[in-house]
Amino acid sequence: MRIAADRLSAYVRDIFMREGCAADEAERIGRFLVAANLTGHDSHGVVRVTRYVEWLREGEVEAGRTPEIVSDAPSFALVDAGYGFGQTAGPFATDLGIAKARDNGVAVIALRHAGHLGRIGEWAERAAAAGLVSVHFVNVAGSLLVAPFGSVERRFSTAPFAAGFPVQGAEPIILDFATSLVAEGKVLVASRGGKALPEGALVEPDGRLSSDPAILFGPLDGVERDNQRGAGAIRAFGEHKGSGLALMCELLAGALTGSGTAGPGRRRICNGMLSIYVTPKVFGTEHAMADEARTYLEFFKSARPMPGAEVLLPGEPERRTRAQRIAEGVPLPEPVWETLLAAGRPHGLDGDAYRD
Ligand code: NAD
């Protein structure tokens, strides 16, 4: 099925208002989840609603938390989200970084104890729209999902990395990925009838490679998905190099921020994010930088493609999908739409009525 983005975000907003969120927070949850669907990252879109509702009811994430600035300096801040929604903490921390970098040239923002921050590229895009370069290291405390290079046992979260680079007069470069071969949400989407996983994205306890979501979630009966039920792991991307980047994400976003690393032991689930913001003005190179970047990116795009392939810039696939989905609506597999209908039903909300 397909549904217009604004209707889908209104439905998600209404679900979270009924679950106890204030109107502005519920609106952000709807808007940012649907924004992820618009970019094609369905793994970080409305497929998450059921889990967010569970977390809210269990107190894993808390509605109405105002992020607290724990320590503050002209070009530095530590922000504690108090396990509030990432859709509140994410824009707060990013806007703080943007303001500090504008005033002082550069800023480092350590964000801890945030609810799910969703698609991290969203925050890099927000900084790029303000004319800033940004780099983001992220982890998930308490979420052991990914085996390091050479192992079959989980030691990392899916620990995403993102970077944004604004280009005056052109679209920004937005690089944004999980350091696992696939994001957990992609396994979730595959387990609900969405796009299948690439071969070998997962590893079984005996070292065999697999693409079966049950390796992560255990038996796929019912709508519940518990990533602790599966015996295997997602594999880190990029061999030893990707595994090393995942380790740095755990250390920078988990240890340096005080948010907590993926393990060991049971920890309260939350995102940590260490972000660096730079205004090109600080080096006095902003005009030369823009010229050089545009020339270089044209040169990059002119690379002769392999047969049947296309040379794309990071951020380009998301922009294309966004344009298409704004025009045609957000496609959702029926099983995902069913979970959304089920989330609205106890509140007397009829999801189908939002489609008209
Ligand atoms: P992915 O594998 O789809 O990679 C996306 C990146 O690669 C983007 O920068 C995209 O522009 C670029 N890209 C894609 N195809 C390209 C091509 N053909 N040529 C050039 N560049 C190309 O992403 P992923 O690893 O599946 O991650 C999905 C999302 O999950 C990300 O938005 C990430 O932030 C998010 N995530 C969030 C959390 C969290 O805890 N909040 C955890 C893990 C992942």
Side-chain angles (χ1 to χ4, degrees):
M1 61 86 75
R2 278 184 187 270
I3 176 166
D6 55 342
R7 285 162 189 256
L8 182 56
S9 51
Y11 178 44
V12 173
R13 175 200 64 205
D14 290 352
I15 292 173
F16 283 96
M17 280 176 69
R18 304 292 190 291
E19 290 288 342
C21 293
D24 55 345
E25 184 158 73
E27 187 276 331
R28 284 192 295 273
I29 297 170
R31 175 157 46 94
F32 288 127
L33 285 180
V34 173
N37 285 109
L38 282 176
T39 59
H41 292 288
D42 295 324
S43 56
H44 287 68
V46 298
V47 74
R48 301 263 168 176
V49 166
T50 312
R51 194 177 285 177
Y52 280 18
V53 168
E54 276 167 22
W55 283 345
L56 190 53
R57 290 181 184 173
E58 291 162 4
E60 284 275 356
V61 65
E62 295 172 29
R65 293 300 300 251
T66 305
E68 186 195 342
I69 300 178
V70 179
S71 57
D72 196 14
S75 50
F76 164 81
L78 171 63
V79 178
D80 195 318
Y83 300 95
F85 273 96
Q87 287 76 10
T88 293
F92 179 93
T94 307
D95 291 347
L96 186 64
I98 291 170
K100 283 184 181 293
R102 276 188 171 153
D103 289 348
N104 302 290
V106 295
V108 180
I109 306 292
L111 172 63
R112 71 184 183 198
H113 302 156
H116 189 236
L117 288 164
R119 176 182 165 256
I120 305 305
E122 181 78 38
W123 318 123
E125 271 172 13
R126 197 173 176 100
L132 301 184
V133 174
S134 70
V135 184
H136 311 261
F137 299 90
V138 178
N139 87 323
V140 194
S143 171
L144 283 171
L145 292 169
V146 181
F149 178 63
S151 168
V152 297
E153 261 190 309
R154 304 180 186 192
R155 288 294 183 271
F156 300 139
S157 61
T158 53
F161 169 84
F165 190 99
V167 186
Q168 241 177 40
E171 298 288 357
I173 302 302
I174 304 290
L175 178 65
D176 168 34
F177 53 73
T179 51
S180 48
L181 261 177
V182 288
E184 187 220 349
K186 297 218 159 128
V187 191
L188 186 65
V189 168
S191 80
R192 297 221 163 107
K195 194 172 166 204
L197 296 179
E199 215 31 67
L202 309 176
V203 59
E204 299 197 37
D206 62 4
R208 266 183 303 163
L209 303 186
S210 169
S211 60
D212 177 1
I215 298 297
L216 197 69
F217 293 122
L220 302 175
D221 39 12
V223 271
E224 302 294 311
R225 294 284 182 266
D226 179 353
N227 60 37
Q228 297 307 302
R229 280 170 65 202
I234 312 179
R235 294 169 64 215
F237 90 116
E239 310 285 320
H240 57 291
K241 305 178 192 183
S243 185
L245 182 56
L247 179 68
M248 293 311 290
C249 285
E250 290 293 344
L251 293 174
L252 292 171
L256 181 61
T257 64
S259 199
T261 50
R266 184 161 162 68
R267 290 153 183 239
R268 191 167 173 181
I269 300 261
C270 63
N271 267 149
M273 176 161 79
L274 185 85
S275 302
I276 301 163
Y277 300 89
V278 180
T279 164
K281 282 201 190 93
V282 76
F283 301 119
T285 56
E286 71 264 33
H287 297 300
M289 170 186 114
D291 288 343
E292 184 71 358
R294 275 193 305 269
T295 306
Y296 176 69
L297 294 173
E298 252 176 60
F299 177 56
F300 175 103
K301 286 284 286 180
S302 72
R304 187 154 47 87
M306 290 170 70
E310 189 183 8
V311 179
L312 296 174
L313 292 165
E316 230 180 331
E318 286 78 8
R319 274 194 298 279
R320 282 187 189 174
T321 309
R322 189 187 286 128
Q324 190 186 2
R325 291 187 173 187
I326 285 174
E328 296 172 4
V330 175
L332 293 178
E334 285 301 333
V336 173
W337 183 238
E338 284 301 326
T339 66
L340 288 174
L341 291 177
R345 216 169 277 132
H347 303 294
L349 289 175
D350 174 12
D352 282 321
Y354 286 78
R355 292 170 67 179
D356 307 326

